Amino acid sequence: MERLMKTVCTPWIHTHYRYMCVFCLSMQIVWGLDQVTLLNPPEEPLPGHLLEVLYSCDEPATVQLKCIVSFDTGITSTFLLRQWSCVPGDPNIRTVELNLPDWLVYQADGIVPDTQWVLRCLLLASLRYNGFDGSERSVAAHDVATLQPKPFFNRPVKQHQLCIAWSAQVMKLTQTQKQCPLEQETVHLLSSIYASTGEKFGITKTLEPYSSELLEYLRVKVISFPWCMFSIWIFVTRHCQTNMCGVFHHIDSDNNYATPTLFLTKSGQLHIQMNGASEESSAFLSPFKVPLSEWCQIRVMLQGRMVIVSMVCIDKEQRTVRSIERMLSHIVVLDDTEGYFVIGGGKYIKGVEGYYGPVVYYRNRISPDSTSDVVIPDVLRTVNLTGWLQTCQAFHMEMIVKLSGYSLKAKQATDSQTCFDVFHEWMLQDRLPSQSQCGLWEATVPQRRQAARLAKLLAFKHGERRVSLSAVGRALYSLSLHKLDRAGSDEVVSRILPLLLQAGCLDDNRALHMSSVLYSAGLGVKKQPSKAWLLALLAAQKDDRLALLHLGHLHHQGLHGLPTDPDLAYAYYANIAQQTTLDRHNPTPEQTFVEAVYLNNDEVLNLQTNEDHHIFQWLKLQARRGAAEAEQAIARMLFWGQQGVSPNIQKAVRHYERGAVRWQDPVSMYDYGIVLLQGHGVEKDIPKAVTFLKKAMEQGFVPAINALAWYYEQFEQDYKQAVQLWEKADHLKSPDAALNLGVVYSQGLYPGKAADQFIAYQYYLKSAERGHIRGAILLADIWTTGISGRVNRRPSDAVLWVKWAAEHNGYLGSILRKALDSYLKSDMFSSLLYYLMAAESGYTAAQFNVAFLCEQNAFGFLDPAFASNCMWRYYNLTIQSQDPDTYAVIRMGDLLYEGQGDRQKDLLSAAEMYTRAALRNEPQGWYNLGVLAEEGFRLPLPLLAELGLSELYLAENSLLLSALYKRCRDSEDTDSYLPCSLALFNVYLQSLQKDYSAAIKFSTAVAVVAAPTIFLIILGVIRRHAPSLN
């Protein structure tokens, strides 16, 4: 029995083993291994690299080797390097020579072409199957390697082995002949208009040596025999109030005046100064005077020792020409690359009150145009400054007549109330007509009736006291604001704008700035950039802070067709930045602390309060209970006007005093000591101030150390004690201490040490980086000129620092506060108007809020077309700032994605916006990128590289979507967790559905292949049981 079982079982085992092998072989055919791997990819593009590729396939396929290159232009190109067939079987290793494009490996030499800058290079090996119709199916396997491209000049030069054809040699010689660089032989030092307030602010310019060795040799050779010309357009509104004012001057590396120097004297004459060798110098006055309110071109021509100064003034069609020639007794030295040139005022002299037009320097020649050929430049004609002033002058005369007439009538009305005898009254009745008659001077055009009525009202109100034109202008501006507040929409702007223009004509700078903003933004009126620029120039010339900020922004960004000029922008920003430091030392109720409040931030909006608000009342209660932080907060709000509280310095001082005396709080001690030192809201009391400052210092409050040092310097003149305290405070990161140490080093007041501008510069830099406004201004002042041999000139960085300082001005804060208060009261139009005034000055938070208000357009107070354009413009301006709000970046991406109005969709730009937001860990950015990818948009390789996802450029879309939605889900924003998780779950579902379909197909294939095997197994089992039955 045992033998029989063994005999029968052995064939059964062998039979089933054979069937299992057949089944496994069948499964291997169905479930073969597809792979391709780059075994030794190079780290950078190399010539002739031998690349090893491991590959295998389960049916005939094709292996492709490609190179994918992305350029700085945003273009991505793909190049097929090699391809070969794959036969099913064991894995193979193939060695191929990597023949990359020459322009990617070698330097351009005429034969090897030049190319755009390469950002990234990928090497892709892929395994592809062919369809039944010969087309390519999806990639079965792939591998990617990143090659880091070399910079152009670090690449090898290709050694061409073949003889080059004659035509190719000619092309090589032609292409290698480099074109001469553009040289600044005619330098436009100023191509725009500069509104000068007559202070120590101007435009600083420097020149570089010629790139051409020949031109530079000639320039150096004629330094002591200059042959050149300077052309300066100027419009003087008021003669110099000091002995001399700067028109154009040259400062050398030793901070001395150099050739040429051109001043305007108190009498209106030109003062011309030329320097020679060995400290020789000559100066002379022009016999002619510069007229007022006319555009004049002043030419200074140097022909060796001959100096020719000419002036051409143009008033309407009238042309006046004046000139003077002077032969100097010494040689004239002009090295235009040494030091710097200044248009207007500078460190050592005030500028002219008026306007500067284009300034051109002909470095090595004299302009061929004669004085008779001089015409007003196009930029001056476009602005038409003289036309405005002439119209205003006529309006001035009309209003002067009306004010005189109404004042006389008011006087007569006053006299009529005086008691006279019967005879005098009878004489008046007999002499005067029975019916009242209007004089001819009372007639007025309809557009000026409001001005006439206000003039009459003011004249009768003040009686015999004279009413000024500026008072009428202020009344017109107040009336305009009242009408705009009542309107609530942009429909009435066109009717109110004439009142604003008349107010501006009557010297109200606020009206000029508001009119400029309306024309610039196109709110309720046709957009007119040139008119907006004119009105801003008029207000800025009168030292209006917001107008200065507006013009600085225009020239910093190059808006409305104006040239980008950081030096011109610096001149405007430096003016308001300097005023900011003065304003902060002299706080007034018209100033408010600048707070960057974004209207989409509900948390910050809920913190806004006032004296009657529950938050403020709660803080007062906590302060009475001894909470030092509450006392500090109330005092700060009242002193600076923060969080919606109106400034009240006297009340703030009382809270400082209570915190210092009752609660012994070091912060309050310091603040109370400062107001006692400076007499803000309280009488000065130096000993008492020092007592509190010492107590604060003893408790470790660092600002008190700096304040005591300042006391020792200012009141005791004890510089040794002062610098010791400043050094201690600077070690503790005090911004004020770093600033003061910089000042004492700059002025040579540090005990035992000489003046050192470079050490001062280092302290200014520390102070600015710690957030000190004056430190930023002094740092920028050095960067705009540089320190010879120590600090290079950095005008672009200088303008950023003064812009930052200027944006802390309290008058800007007042406009922002009015805008926010209007918004909290649901007065959307007034809020938009005030935010526009700050937005056109370049303040980022205001630009965002303008776009946000236009987007919301609550109650439809804006025209839909204006609202749409407003969103585009101001979100676009917002994202150009250094640290834009991510909401603005997302919304700008949405606008580009939607392509509203006549704008087309721009998915690439939208993806760039979403990428910027994603890089700042904004979940909405990751989510929107996922939506773009789901809709079939292929994210460019450079964007994926920025996101750290370059390896997914050629992967399946589901892998990219999973990565994007995972980063969206894993961000710190808890609100985004659910939608991002749902999006990720949807991706998984789609992948599962796809895999399920593939599994069904796979199971069907397995069943077809395995059916014969299963049939044989069943047949074998049946045969085994058949003998046992017998």
Side-chain angles (χ1 to χ4, degrees):
M1 185 65 182
E2 183 179 349
R3 183 178 61 82
L4 179 62
M5 288 291 297
K6 185 176 181 180
T7 305
V8 173
C9 290
T10 301
W12 185 88
I13 293 174
H14 284 286
T15 303
H16 283 74
Y17 177 75
R18 185 173 72 247
Y19 294 154
M20 291 297 296
C21 290
V22 172
F23 176 75
C24 292
L25 180 61
S26 303
M27 294 295 295
Q28 182 180 359
I29 295 174
V30 176
W31 192 257
L33 180 61
D34 297 325
Q35 67 170 344
V36 60
T37 305
L38 299 172
L39 297 179
N40 62 333
E43 295 182 357
E44 59 190 30
L46 297 175
H49 179 77
L50 297 178
L51 179 67
E52 295 180 351
V53 182
L54 172 68
Y55 63 96
S56 64
C57 56
D58 62 358
E59 63 180 73
T62 301
V63 180
Q64 292 183 344
L65 183 63
K66 295 181 179 180
C67 176
I68 303 173
V69 181
S70 63
F71 301 94
D72 61 348
T73 57
I75 299 174
T76 301
S77 300
T78 302
F79 305 93
L80 179 63
L81 303 179
R82 295 289 296 274
Q83 74 175 22
W84 61 91
S85 299
C86 175
V87 179
D90 296 332
N92 293 324
I93 296 178
R94 187 183 184 97
T95 302
V96 295
E97 184 176 355
L98 196 58
N99 294 320
L100 296 170
D102 286 347
W103 49 262
L104 186 61
V105 179
Y106 300 104
Q107 291 187 27
D109 60 359
I111 298 176
V112 176
D114 202 352
T115 183
Q116 299 291 333
W117 188 267
V118 177
L119 293 179
R120 188 170 293 269
C121 177
L122 298 179
L123 201 60
L124 168 67
S126 60
L127 185 71
R128 298 174 178 269
Y129 290 111
N130 295 327
F132 295 108
D133 56 354
S135 61
E136 289 186 350
R137 299 207 312 248
S138 61
V139 177
H142 75 276
D143 190 20
V144 180
T146 301
L147 310 184
Q148 185 60 42
K150 281 186 174 182
F152 289 125
F153 298 107
N154 290 344
R155 300 175 185 175
V157 178
K158 185 173 184 178
Q159 303 297 323
H160 300 283
Q161 302 298 327
L162 300 176
C163 295
I164 302 174
W166 177 82
S167 58
Q169 289 181 340
V170 172
M171 289 297 296
K172 178 179 178 180
L173 293 173
T174 305
Q175 294 178 9
T176 54
Q177 276 186 338
K178 294 184 178 180
Q179 185 178 4
C180 294
L182 181 65
E183 300 285 3
Q184 285 190 318
E185 295 182 273
T186 301
V187 185
H188 294 269
L189 298 175
L190 176 63
S191 56
S192 185
I193 301 176
Y194 170 53
S196 173
T197 60
E199 300 170 278
K200 289 187 175 181
F201 304 105
I203 305 166
T204 303
K205 294 288 183 179
T206 57
L207 298 180
E208 298 296 328
Y210 286 116
S211 302
S212 167
E213 294 182 2
L214 176 59
L215 288 177
E216 180 61 14
Y217 169 77
L218 295 175
R219 186 194 69 82
V220 173
K221 189 175 181 180
V222 299
I223 284 178
S224 57
F225 194 85
W227 194 274
C228 60
M229 188 183 90
F230 295 86
S231 169
I232 306 160
W233 282 91
I234 191 169
F235 187 100
V236 181
T237 57
R238 186 183 182 192
H239 283 312
C240 188
Q241 300 301 297
T242 57
N243 290 333
M244 286 187 289
C245 297
V247 175
F248 182 85
H249 58 279
H250 183 194
I251 302 294
D252 64 16
S253 56
D254 296 324
N255 293 325
N256 296 319
Y257 289 113
T259 302
T261 296
L262 189 65
F263 295 148
L264 186 67
T265 66
K266 198 171 186 178
S267 62
Q269 295 173 285
L270 290 173
H271 170 97
I272 303 99
Q273 180 175 318
M274 302 292 163
N275 285 32
S278 303
E279 298 184 356
E280 293 179 297
S281 63
S282 297
F284 59 93
L285 292 174
S286 65
F288 50 85
K289 297 181 179 180
V290 179
L292 296 178
S293 303
E294 291 184 27
W295 277 114
C296 297
Q297 184 199 45
I298 300 173
R299 293 185 175 190
V300 180
M301 291 176 278
L302 303 179
Q303 300 175 357
R305 295 186 179 184
M306 175 68 72
V307 180
I308 303 173
V309 179
S310 62
M311 182 180 70
V312 180
C313 298
I314 302 175
D315 183 17
K316 295 182 180 178
E317 300 301 326
Q318 185 178 359
R319 179 188 301 267
T320 306
V321 181
R322 300 283 188 271
S323 65
I324 180 176
E325 296 184 6
R326 181 65 62 93
M327 178 65 75
L328 303 182
S329 59
H330 59 82
I331 62 173
V332 177
V333 175
L334 172 57
D335 186 352
D336 57 15
T337 62
E338 183 191 16
Y340 54 91
F341 296 97
V342 179
I343 303 168
K347 294 180 181 180
Y348 313 108
I349 194 168
K350 292 183 177 181
V352 173
E353 291 187 47
Y355 305 88
Y356 293 85
V359 178
V360 183
Y361 171 35
Y362 302 88
R363 292 183 80 171
N364 54 3
R365 65 187 182 91
I366 305 294
S367 174
D369 298 332
S370 65
T371 54
S372 61
D373 299 327
V374 173
V375 294
I376 293 183
D378 291 338
V379 65
L380 304 184
R381 290 183 179 275
T382 301
V383 172
N384 194 17
L385 177 64
T386 53
W388 166 271
L389 294 178
Q390 289 167 3
T391 303
C392 275
Q393 186 177 8
F395 183 52
H396 278 198
M397 294 302 298
E398 179 183 344
M399 295 307 299
I400 289 172
V401 171
K402 291 185 184 303
L403 283 173
S404 300
Y406 288 133
S407 297
L408 181 59
K409 277 195 170 187
K411 184 177 184 302
Q412 290 174 352
T414 304
D415 292 343
S416 66
Q417 298 175 4
T418 306
C419 293
F420 293 106
D421 54 35
V422 177
F423 176 78
H424 185 80
E425 292 181 1
W426 177 79
M427 289 292 294
L428 286 174
Q429 291 175 1
D430 186 61
R431 186 178 305 169
L432 295 175
S434 58
Q435 295 182 353
S436 62
Q437 296 180 355
C438 293
L440 294 176
W441 57 269
E442 292 185 82
T444 184
V445 295
Q447 294 84 355
R448 298 178 181 177
R449 284 177 183 169
Q450 292 284 6
R453 289 173 183 171
L454 287 174
K456 182 178 181 179
L457 177 64
L458 292 172
F460 277 88
K461 178 181 178 180
H462 294 284
E464 295 184 3
R465 287 183 297 169
R466 184 179 178 182
V467 179
S468 64
L469 291 176
S470 58
V472 180
R474 290 193 296 271
L476 275 171
Y477 177 69
S478 299
L479 177 63
S480 303
L481 287 185
H482 179 69
K483 287 180 175 290
L484 286 171
D485 288 340
R486 291 180 58 187
S489 69
D490 59 352
E491 297 175 354
V492 299
V493 173
S494 59
R495 298 197 299 269
I496 298 174
L497 185 58
L499 299 181
L500 287 171
L501 294 175
Q502 291 167 22
C505 198
L506 297 178
D507 301 328
D508 193 291
N509 298 326
R510 299 168 300 171
L512 289 172
H513 175 63
M514 182 175 284
S515 303
S516 172
V517 168
L518 293 175
Y519 277 122
S520 178
L523 178 62
V525 295
K526 182 181 178 181
K527 186 180 291 188
Q528 298 186 44
S530 58
K531 191 72 171 288
W533 186 27
L534 165 65
L535 296 169
L537 287 169
L538 291 165
Q541 200 278 320
K542 297 298 183 182
D543 216 15
D544 183 78
R545 292 166 175 80
L546 293 182
L548 291 167
L549 204 58
H550 182 194
L551 290 174
H553 174 60
L554 290 180
H555 290 287
H556 184 216
Q557 298 292 334
L559 303 176
H560 299 328
L562 299 180
T564 302
D565 189 339
D567 297 312
L568 178 54
Y570 176 88
Y572 289 122
Y573 281 136
N575 190 333
I576 185 174
Q578 187 65 41
Q579 293 187 71
T580 300
T581 60
L582 300 176
D583 291 340
R584 289 172 72 88
H585 284 93
N586 299 283
T588 62
E590 290 76 23
Q591 300 181 58
T592 304
F593 188 81
V594 177
E595 296 176 282
V597 178
Y598 289 81
L599 296 183
N600 67 326
N601 192 332
D602 294 332
E603 182 179 351
V604 176
L605 290 177
N606 292 332
L607 293 176
Q608 301 305 307
T609 182
N610 55 55
E611 290 83 344
D612 300 323
H613 196 268
H614 67 274
I615 294 179
F616 191 82
Q617 295 299 323
W618 181 82
L619 287 172
K620 288 179 66 175
L621 176 63
Q622 296 302 311
R624 284 196 296 269
R625 291 177 175 177
E629 293 82 2
E631 199 80 77
Q632 296 168 16
I634 292 176
R636 185 185 66 250
M637 290 179 188
L638 290 168
F639 192 88
W640 295 107
Q642 293 181 352
Q643 292 182 234
V645 178
S646 300
N648 191 323
I649 296 177
Q650 286 75 20
K651 283 186 178 180
V653 170
R654 289 200 291 270
H655 285 281
Y656 286 145
E657 182 181 13
R658 185 167 67 179
V661 176
R662 185 179 299 181
W663 314 127
Q664 296 293 303
D665 174 42
V667 178
S668 297
M669 288 180 181
Y670 166 77
D671 290 328
Y672 189 48
I674 292 298
V675 296
L676 287 170
L677 271 179
Q678 299 182 345
H680 288 160
V682 66
E683 291 187 8
K684 282 188 178 182
D685 191 334
I686 307 301
K688 190 175 181 180
V690 173
T691 300
F692 281 105
L693 290 174
K694 286 183 177 179
K695 288 183 179 180
M697 184 181 70
E698 290 170 0
Q699 295 190 41
F701 193 61
V702 176
I705 304 174
N706 175 80
L708 277 173
W710 182 81
Y711 161 76
Y712 282 114
E713 180 214 12
Q714 293 290 321
F715 296 94
E716 303 288 343
Q717 283 75 48
D718 187 350
Y719 287 96
K720 183 176 180 180
Q721 179 69 17
V723 297
Q724 286 179 353
L725 290 172
W726 276 329
E727 293 282 4
K728 179 180 178 181
D730 176 60
H731 183 69
L732 297 172
K733 309 299 182 183
S734 168
D736 293 277
L739 168 72
N740 290 320
L741 286 171
V743 171
V744 296
Y745 269 109
S746 175
Q747 298 178 359
L749 299 175
Y750 198 105
K753 296 184 180 181
D756 193 322
Q757 301 304 320
F758 182 70
I759 295 180
Y761 157 75
Q762 292 177 314
Y763 277 111
Y764 294 153
L765 179 59
K766 285 200 296 184
S767 177
E769 290 176 341
R770 293 171 184 173
H772 200 287
I773 293 176
R774 189 166 172 235
I777 295 172
L778 294 174
L779 172 67
D781 185 54
I782 290 177
W783 273 349
T784 195
T785 58
I787 299 177
S788 180
R790 305 300 296 272
V791 179
N792 293 328
R793 187 168 182 262
R794 298 169 62 176
S796 298
D797 293 327
V799 74
L800 291 177
W801 277 114
V802 289
K803 178 181 185 293
W804 173 81
E807 289 180 346
H808 285 78
N809 190 270
Y811 290 89
L812 173 63
S814 179
I815 293 293
L816 293 171
R817 172 50 53 187
K818 291 178 181 178
L820 183 57
D821 288 343
S822 298
Y823 177 79
L824 295 175
K825 295 175 183 177
S826 299
D827 185 357
M828 299 304 171
F829 181 74
S830 295
S831 179
L832 177 67
L833 182 61
Y834 287 118
Y835 273 130
L836 269 175
M837 295 175 68
E840 288 297 314
S841 299
Y843 191 66
T844 302
Q847 292 172 338
F848 174 89
N849 290 339
V850 168
F852 185 81
L853 287 170
C854 291
E855 178 186 357
Q856 302 297 319
N857 196 13
F859 313 113
F861 72 99
L862 293 175
D863 177 70
F866 174 84
S868 177
N869 291 329
C870 169
M871 277 194 299
W872 275 86
R873 180 183 179 192
Y874 289 100
Y875 275 138
N876 192 22
L877 288 172
T878 303
I879 65 174
Q880 295 175 28
S881 62
Q882 288 182 292
D883 187 25
D885 188 273
T886 52
Y887 180 88
V889 179
I890 292 293
R891 287 299 294 126
M892 196 64 217
D894 293 343
L895 293 173
L896 292 165
Y897 172 81
E898 295 164 2
Q900 295 179 350
D902 57 349
R903 298 178 177 89
Q904 295 182 348
K905 287 188 175 184
D906 189 348
L907 297 184
L908 177 59
S909 298
E912 291 173 351
M913 293 295 106
Y914 297 146
T915 300
R916 287 181 60 180
L919 290 174
R920 298 177 63 177
N921 203 28
E922 171 60 43
Q924 188 70 53
W926 294 108
Y927 187 88
N928 290 0
L929 286 172
V931 171
L932 284 177
E934 279 194 273
E935 292 180 353
F937 177 76
R938 187 172 187 178
L939 296 178
L941 179 59
L943 294 186
L944 290 176
E946 285 187 69
L947 297 170
L949 300 173
S950 57
E951 69 278 2
L952 300 177
Y953 177 67
L954 298 169
E956 290 187 6
N957 202 37
S958 60
L959 295 178
L960 176 60
L961 290 173
S962 299
L964 293 173
Y965 288 136
K966 280 181 182 178
R967 295 196 180 187
C968 174
R969 180 198 63 187
D970 297 339
S971 64
E972 298 177 358
D973 188 359
T974 56
D975 294 337
S976 64
Y977 184 84
L978 181 59
C980 296
S981 298
L982 290 175
L984 183 61
F985 181 68
N986 183 51
V987 173
Y988 288 155
L989 281 180
Q990 291 179 358
S991 299
L992 181 61
Q993 182 181 8
K994 182 179 178 181
D995 293 342
Y996 178 74
S997 300
I1000 294 297
K1001 295 178 181 178
F1002 170 74
S1003 302
T1004 303
V1006 169
V1008 170
V1009 174
T1013 306
I1014 296 172
F1015 175 75
L1016 293 175
I1017 293 174
I1018 295 174
L1019 183 61
V1021 171
I1022 293 173
R1023 287 180 178 178
R1024 172 182 175 276
H1025 288 285
S1028 63
L1029 290 175
N1030 294 331

